[in-house]
Amino acid sequence: PVNWCTSCKCVLANEEVVEGVCERCGAPVVRKEKSQWMLRITKYADRLADDLDLEGLDYIERVKTQQKNWIGRSEGTEVEFSVKDSDVKFTIFTTRADTMFGVTFMVLAPESEYVQQVTTAEQKEEVEKYLDYVKKRTELDRMANHSVTGVFSGSYAINPFTGEAIPVWISEYVLAGYGTGAI
């Protein structure tokens, strides 16, 4: 998904979207699925992060911290969850496998390919309304938002460690580009 200016008809960086509008023309910006080239920069993430500490490089500490956060090194494991009464399965990424026995709910990114598959007929209208709301927000806005918003999908996943059925929610605080887009 990208930030799409409805007037300029172009993709904008998060920093070019101010309060939901294009900083150039003032038109509304929406989140839109768009085919794009992706560079495999993650292949070099460890090297990039480690090289910030090389002797002789004169980076300001604040800049080094920002770069390390942007690179976002995370170590953990993936766990597959099945959706109750369905063939749908999705994988989550966790840095804390020891917490899996205490999982009480799942959350999908609004852009997840699974949202449409797990949304029940009873929840469809509410989920669509929520997805429209999220499309008008940038990832920067979503990350800065300290109040958690979301909507219940109507489905339940089975915790593979306990066998318990747990609700599957959709929330803007989960980003499709981080991990698997499911937590």
Side-chain angles (χ1 to χ4, degrees):
V2 296
N3 299 318
W4 183 256
C5 175
T6 56
S7 175
C8 298
K9 306 289 186 211
C10 68
V11 175
L12 302 176
N14 288 335
E15 295 79 11
E16 296 174 299
V17 181
V18 179
E19 296 181 12
V21 299
C22 175
E23 74 172 355
R24 297 179 203 157
C25 71
V29 174
V30 296
R31 298 289 287 162
K32 178 180 181 176
E33 290 289 326
K34 187 122 178 87
S35 296
Q36 55 187 311
W37 287 92
M38 301 295 280
L39 303 177
R40 201 165 156 210
I41 199 72
T42 54
K43 180 177 180 180
Y44 304 99
D46 289 341
R47 181 174 173 199
L48 287 168
D50 293 342
D51 285 358
L52 287 169
D53 294 322
L54 286 176
E55 202 170 308
L57 293 179
D58 195 20
Y59 290 115
I60 300 169
E61 200 58 43
R62 177 178 54 83
V63 172
K64 283 173 42 173
T65 300
Q66 288 173 335
Q67 289 297 306
K68 287 179 181 180
N69 290 340
W70 176 78
I71 293 166
R73 179 186 298 173
S74 291
E75 296 180 17
T77 189
E78 292 184 345
V79 180
E80 186 176 79
F81 282 75
S82 298
V83 176
K84 184 178 177 183
D85 302 324
S86 165
D87 293 333
V88 177
K89 295 180 181 186
F90 55 86
T91 303
I92 62 103
F93 172 81
T94 182
T95 57
R96 298 278 314 272
D98 59 317
T99 64
M100 297 310 304
F101 286 95
V103 171
T104 57
F105 64 95
M106 304 296 304
V107 185
L108 296 174
E111 304 83 7
S112 170
E113 64 185 286
Y114 299 108
V115 168
Q116 297 305 320
Q117 296 175 47
V118 301
T119 300
T120 62
E122 298 79 22
Q123 291 298 109
K124 186 172 178 61
E125 186 176 327
E126 194 173 343
V127 168
E128 291 299 328
K129 183 178 171 184
Y130 185 74
L131 295 178
D132 286 342
Y133 159 77
V134 174
K135 284 179 185 175
K136 296 174 185 155
R137 298 175 50 78
T138 67
E139 282 192 9
L140 205 55
D141 290 338
R142 289 166 59 182
M143 290 185 295
N145 185 7
H146 296 291
S147 62
V148 177
T149 66
V151 64
F152 177 51
S153 70
S155 289
Y156 293 84
I158 304 301
N159 182 330
F161 293 86
T162 65
E164 291 181 39
I166 54 177
V168 179
W169 287 77
I170 301 156
S171 179
E172 66 177 323
Y173 80 86
V174 179
L175 303 175
Y178 178 77
T180 64
I183 62 168

